[in-house]
Amino acid sequence: MNKTRRISTVGSVAAVLLLAAGCGSSDNGAARNTNSVQPAGAGKALGGAYDTGYGAGAAAGSGSGSDVGAGSGKAGSAGQLSVRDIASVGSVVTDSAGMALYRFDKDTPQPPKSNCDGDCAAVWPAVPADDATAAAGIDAALIGSVDRTDGSKQLTLGGWPVYRYAKDTKAGEAKGEGVGGTWHALAPDGKKAIDKKQKEAGNTGSGSGMEMGAGMGGMNMKSGAELSVADNEKLGKILVDGQWRTLYRFDKDSAWPMKFGCLGACLDTWKPAAAIDKAKAEGINGKLVGSVKRPDGSEQLTIDCWPVYTFTGDTEPGQANGHNKQGLWFAVTAEGKKVPPTA
């Protein structure tokens, strides 16, 4: 007699993660408090809900306008590299079609080496080295190449291998910025464009209290703090990251049982905040600071067991444009709670 097994349908919006240990229950002297979690199904995709870790499960060749070969991990030549200002990211290097170019933190510049192959290369196509030239604002001496495992030559800038993102569908987009906490749009010198933007914004402050843009008072943040509390004139005391970006939690996530509601295309807009050394947190009880492993293997910062994110709609330090977005996203208080929607 055959037994039937009822298989529950896994929704495409949220993937349930099983906790192997209580959230924030163990510290054992470590500077970082990591929540031991693993995705159900041994990391396999469930109903299409999991991101591949390379960018929302996008398939290469999805109308990027860059001659991306589907699944091949290859892309058309960059042509003349230019510098384009993208509001949420800063001054970004683009190809001749205006498509943003990226670097991967798991690569190395000295010596140049790419660590993006296979499925990774399908979502982040390597830019061929042939025919690349530099326009004004880019030092031609920084352009080079690196041999890939398939024998092809990939473009490098400042030693960093260069990629496109398959989910960028038109010129001027930079949806790949911050994906997995390891992918970043390129600045003209090969560094991260977002770092330069935040540094420039920080330099507009005066004295030890940084001017934080609209709605943000001066911050007395220690040098090197990766998490701190800021005074927002509308929301009160809220948590910000080391680049003074407002942190948010999502009502479709949950702390127990651990569940991610922001997957796939959601990650184009809401970027998981990278886990930090909680010794570098200021103004918050260290017991509230932890991290959780996402389906792609990256570690995301948690506050009071809730995963937290930054919002691409915050284009200047101190903005909190994501608060009460869709009635689901909320800034976080110094006590780890969500700021009320009426604030």
Side-chain angles (χ1 to χ4, degrees):
M1 180 176 180
N2 294 330
K3 294 182 178 180
T4 60
R5 178 177 296 175
R6 186 178 300 275
I7 302 174
S8 61
T9 302
V10 180
S12 60
V13 177
V16 177
L17 303 182
L18 302 180
L19 281 175
C23 176
S25 63
S26 63
D27 193 348
N28 64 10
R32 179 179 292 171
N33 181 14
T34 304
N35 304 326
S36 178
V37 298
Q38 294 293 334
K44 295 180 181 179
L46 303 179
Y50 282 135
D51 187 358
T52 64
Y54 306 121
S62 56
S64 67
S66 304
D67 190 26
V68 178
S72 69
K74 295 183 180 180
S77 299
Q80 187 176 60
L81 304 181
S82 302
V83 181
R84 180 173 187 148
D85 186 65
I86 298 178
S88 61
V89 184
S91 296
V92 174
V93 177
T94 63
D95 64 13
S96 57
M99 305 302 292
L101 300 179
Y102 298 87
R103 47 173 273 182
F104 185 32
D105 283 353
K106 293 183 180 180
D107 289 348
T108 58
Q110 297 295 335
K113 185 179 186 302
S114 170
N115 287 303
C116 180
D117 288 299
D119 291 342
C120 174
V123 179
W124 299 92
V127 178
D130 56 308
D131 298 330
T133 59
I138 300 174
D139 185 352
L142 295 177
I143 295 177
S145 67
V146 62
D147 292 331
R148 293 184 58 78
T149 55
D150 63 2
S152 64
K153 290 188 178 296
Q154 181 177 359
L155 177 68
T156 62
L157 184 65
W160 288 94
V162 178
Y163 306 83
R164 295 185 181 94
Y165 183 39
K167 290 203 72 178
D168 285 343
T169 58
K170 59 185 178 181
E173 290 185 332
K175 293 179 179 178
E177 169 56 40
V179 168
T182 55
W183 289 93
H184 298 281
L186 274 164
D189 58 1
K191 298 185 185 301
K192 302 173 187 178
I194 191 70
D195 285 353
K196 287 182 170 289
K197 178 179 176 67
Q198 297 298 341
K199 184 176 180 181
E200 290 167 0
N203 286 338
T204 63
S206 58
S208 60
M210 204 65 86
E211 288 299 324
M212 295 305 300
M216 190 68 72
M219 292 180 62
N220 296 316
M221 188 185 297
K222 294 178 183 175
S223 175
E226 297 178 353
L227 176 67
S228 191
V229 179
D231 287 314
N232 183 287
E233 63 183 25
K234 293 182 179 179
L235 305 181
K237 294 185 180 297
I238 61 174
L239 295 179
V240 295
D241 69 5
Q243 296 176 335
W244 312 294
R245 294 175 297 193
T246 299
L247 295 173
Y248 302 89
R249 53 184 266 186
F250 184 35
D251 274 1
K252 289 190 176 181
D253 287 346
S254 72
W256 187 271
M258 183 61 72
K259 182 187 297 184
F260 287 123
C262 186
L263 296 163
C266 174
L267 298 175
D268 293 336
T269 303
W270 301 92
K271 304 299 184 180
I276 68 164
D277 178 349
K278 67 179 180 181
K280 295 185 178 180
E282 179 186 0
I284 181 173
N285 188 329
K287 292 182 179 180
L288 297 176
V289 181
S291 67
V292 62
K293 184 176 289 187
R294 292 190 61 83
D296 65 1
S298 64
E299 289 186 7
Q300 181 175 0
L301 175 65
T302 62
I303 302 296
D304 196 23
C305 300
W306 285 84
V308 291
Y309 306 77
T310 57
F311 177 47
T312 57
D314 290 339
T315 59
E316 298 294 339
Q319 291 182 341
N321 297 321
H323 181 65
N324 202 26
K325 202 76 172 177
Q326 300 172 313
L328 296 170
W329 293 91
F330 300 95
V332 183
T333 71
E335 294 73 36
K337 308 301 180 184
K338 71 179 184 183
V339 177
T342 55

